[in-house]
């Protein structure tokens, strides 16, 4: 009854003022998190040349991304609950402060090891921030109107996709790779002030924290990701396979303990009884894997095989970012009135098709301008992918489980990204060794910014073949969304927004009593 009263209070005491200013303030931090990921993908060759120039293994520099994603993914399950317990505003501000200070440490890092450690701290700050944005949307926007709010969420992802690579290229070329992290400091300060002023203090809900679940999930994810990341480096030795197997076993134990918990589990498995929530989580994991893994082969190919600067390679992503940012809000509004599959199926198909076109262009050494075509296709696909998936996952969440649901959704997305980052590093290394078995003996360095002419062809083939992996994974996500159901609470075309709000007011107490 306590939870039911808390949920009812949360739904009835939502601030009467418009939720949009608060969402805009929170989007600043979400924007910074996404920009930081895309900036690093562009700067990876420069970081490797500066801090790890003496090896031909790409998996070392990939840990700059993987360490961030690992410490981002592991705490998400509990940081969503922390938002419910202590208020999303307070947890968001704490995470933003940690993220901003860690950005300064990243820029000042004197070695690759220090940079990886600082990136890990950044990931912790991002983990505190991310679920709060989705939780605020869930708690302040009626289910039938969340499409527009999630459209802003999707547009943010699109704009960040543009700003990240462009800013990264300009900063790396003009000031050095360190400035991709220093730029976060003024953005973080602005975002902190905006959140203090505009984000309301929402009602809190008492939660007991499943410490055993936190430990098991952290250990399991670390073992799996470390094994995948370092497998190629250690020639897939028996102990690597044992580490991955142990990680899978620990995660199985984690799920078993969650199912048998008599208290409040870290992951309320009841949420997965909602088919759309379950499928959206599977699909967003595939999307996270694809988006993270596709960037590395593209950037290494464009900069090392084709000789483009970071700025020039980033400019090829302009159609992607512009089309995604412009179309995402329209997709969000349309989602309030239609079956999500009408947007998700074409969106995922376009993303997969654009990656296939990238492969064809790379393998055929196509003119650089032709890479603008798959970039544009992917931009349209992104508009029908990010916002619709988030809206579908959160549409039926009751207020008392907003933090838990947001934490689970963002965890699956980030775990997909972690596995994508680790897997693409191993796959790229394997394809390099298959296409260039004598590259190391020839003195080639895959981080110096130049490649001997005799190995450019083999290097390009390896990068193109590596993109097949994200194509397969996005195909899995496409198959999953075909099994979604049309949500029961979709505002019919032409229906007033007040009707949708009234429907939510009636639905919230019922959800709280489940």
């Amino acid at each position: 009854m306590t939870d039911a009263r808390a949920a009812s209070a949360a739904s009835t005491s939502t601030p009467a003022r418009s939720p949009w200013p608060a969402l805009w303030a929170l989007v600043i931090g979400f924007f910074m998190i996404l920009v930081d990921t895309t900036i690093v993908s562009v700067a990876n060759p420069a970081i490797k040349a500066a801090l790890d120039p003496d090896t031909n293994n790409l998996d070392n520099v990939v840990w700059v991304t993987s360490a961030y994603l690992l410490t981002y993914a592991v705490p998400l399950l509990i940081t969503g609950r922390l938002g419910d317990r202590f208020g999303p505003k307070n947890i968001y501000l704490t995470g933003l402060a940690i993220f901003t200070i860690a950005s300064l440490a990243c820029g000042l890092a004197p070695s690759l090891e220090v940079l990886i450690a600082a990136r890990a701290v950044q990931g912790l700050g991002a983990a505190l921030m991310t679920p709060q944005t989705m939780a605020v949307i869930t708690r302040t926007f009626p289910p039938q109107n969340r499409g527009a709010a999630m459209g802003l969420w999707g547009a943010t992802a699109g704009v960040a996709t543009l700003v990240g690579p462009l800013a990264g290229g300009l900063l790396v070329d003009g000031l050095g790779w360190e400035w991709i992290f220093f730029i976060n400091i003024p953005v973080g300060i602005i975002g902190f002030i905006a959140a203090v002023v505009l984000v309301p203090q929402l009602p809190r809900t008492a939660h007991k924290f499943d410490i055993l679940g936190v430990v098991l999930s952290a250990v399991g994810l670390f073992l799996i990701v470390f094994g995948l990341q370092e497998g190629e480096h250690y020639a897939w030795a028996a102990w690597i396979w044992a580490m991955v197997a142990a990680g899978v076993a620990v995660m199985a134990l984690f799920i078993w303990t969650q199912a048998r918990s008599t208290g409040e589990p870290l992951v309320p498995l009841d949420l997965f009884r909602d088919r759309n929530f379950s499928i959206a989580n599977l699909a967003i994991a595939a999307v996270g894997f694809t988006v993270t893994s596709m960037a590395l082969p593209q950037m290494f190919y464009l900069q090392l095989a084709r000789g483009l600067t970071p700025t020039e390679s980033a400019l090829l992503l302009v159609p992607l970012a512009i089309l995604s940012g412009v179309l995402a809000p329209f997709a969000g509004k349309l989602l309030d009135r239609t079956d999500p599959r009408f947007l998700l199926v074409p969106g995922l198909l376009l993303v997969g098709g654009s990656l296939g076109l990238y492969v064809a262009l790379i393998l055929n050494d196509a003119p650089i301008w032709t890479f603008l075509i798959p970039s544009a296709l992917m931009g349209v696909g992104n508009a029908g992918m990010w916002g619709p998936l988030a809206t579908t996952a959160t549409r039926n969440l009751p207020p008392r489980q907003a933090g838990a649901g947001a934490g689970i959704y963002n965890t699956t997305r980030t775990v997909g990204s972690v596995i994508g980052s680790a897997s693409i590093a191993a796959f790229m290394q394997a394809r390099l060794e298959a296409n260039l078995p004598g590259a190391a003996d020839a003195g080639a360095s895959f981080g110096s910014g130049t490649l001997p002419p005799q190995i450019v062809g083999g290097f390009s083939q390896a990068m193109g073949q590596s993109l097949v992996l994200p194509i397969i994974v996005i195909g899995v996500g496409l198959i999953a969304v075909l099994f979604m159901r049309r949500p029961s609470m979709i505002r019919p075309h032409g229906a007033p927004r007040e009707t949708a709000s009234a429907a939510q007011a009636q639905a919230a107490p019922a959800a709280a009593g489940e």
Side-chain angles (χ1 to χ4, degrees), residues 68-411:
Y68 170 83
L69 291 174
L70 180 59
T71 56
Y72 184 12
V74 170
L76 279 171
L77 293 173
I78 194 170
T79 56
R81 292 298 184 89
L82 287 173
D84 290 340
R85 176 64 181 85
F86 298 104
K89 178 176 182 177
N90 297 333
I91 299 302
Y92 174 85
L93 290 173
T94 301
L96 182 54
I98 292 173
F99 189 94
T100 304
I101 295 171
S103 295
L104 177 62
C106 287
L108 297 175
S111 67
L112 187 62
E113 293 75 15
V114 173
L115 176 59
I116 291 172
R119 285 282 284 167
V121 178
Q122 260 194 330
L124 177 60
L128 290 167
M129 296 164 62
T130 301
Q132 315 318 325
T133 302
M134 289 188 69
V136 168
I137 292 174
T138 302
R139 294 176 64 178
T140 60
F141 286 85
Q144 300 84 355
N145 299 335
R146 282 181 201 152
M150 289 301 180
L152 173 60
W153 189 83
T156 301
V159 174
T161 305
L162 169 62
V163 173
L166 283 178
L170 291 170
L171 291 171
V172 170
D173 289 341
L175 298 173
W177 65 265
E178 299 88 347
W179 284 88
I180 68 172
F181 300 111
F182 290 151
I183 196 66
N184 290 335
I185 297 172
V187 177
I189 293 173
I190 294 171
F192 192 94
I193 295 172
V196 168
V197 174
L198 297 175
V199 178
Q201 290 286 2
L202 296 174
R204 305 177 187 182
T205 303
H207 285 294
K208 295 179 180 179
F209 295 111
D210 180 8
I211 302 301
L212 176 62
V214 172
V215 173
L216 288 176
S217 63
V219 171
L221 286 172
F222 175 81
L223 291 173
I224 292 171
V225 173
F226 185 87
L228 289 172
Q229 181 69 53
E230 296 297 302
E232 190 67 33
H233 181 70
Y234 291 102
W236 295 102
W239 67 270
I240 286 286
W241 287 112
M243 176 175 284
V244 174
V248 173
V250 172
M251 291 305 295
L253 178 61
F254 165 70
I255 295 173
W256 181 78
T257 60
Q258 298 300 289
R260 294 180 60 86
S261 175
T262 57
E264 188 170 7
L266 185 64
V267 175
L269 297 180
D270 287 350
L271 289 177
F272 290 94
R273 293 179 180 175
D274 183 329
R275 180 194 289 187
N276 283 2
F277 180 82
S278 299
I279 293 176
N281 274 273
L282 175 60
I284 198 61
V287 169
F289 183 109
T290 300
V291 171
T292 301
S293 60
M294 72 183 187
L296 283 170
Q298 288 175 344
M299 289 301 161
F300 274 102
Y301 167 76
L302 292 171
Q303 294 181 37
L304 301 187
R306 301 302 294 266
L308 271 64
T309 66
T311 301
E312 291 169 342
S313 58
L315 285 171
L316 293 176
L317 300 178
V318 168
L320 185 162
I322 291 178
L323 288 172
S324 177
V326 170
L327 295 177
F330 294 101
K333 292 179 181 178
L334 181 61
L335 192 66
D336 286 335
R337 302 172 177 176
T338 190
D339 190 318
R341 289 171 293 186
F342 294 161
L343 294 172
L344 287 169
V345 171
L348 293 170
L349 274 174
L350 282 171
V351 170
S354 65
L355 286 173
L357 184 53
Y358 271 121
V359 172
L361 295 177
I362 291 173
L363 296 182
N364 290 282
D365 198 27
I368 288 296
W369 70 266
T370 59
F371 286 83
L372 295 170
I373 299 172
S375 177
L377 293 176
M378 186 168 291
V380 178
N382 269 266
M385 182 173 69
W386 288 100
L389 277 177
T391 304
T392 303
T394 60
R395 193 184 294 274
N396 293 326
L397 287 180
R400 65 187 172 90
Q401 292 183 328
I408 293 169
Y409 181 82
N410 283 287
T411 297

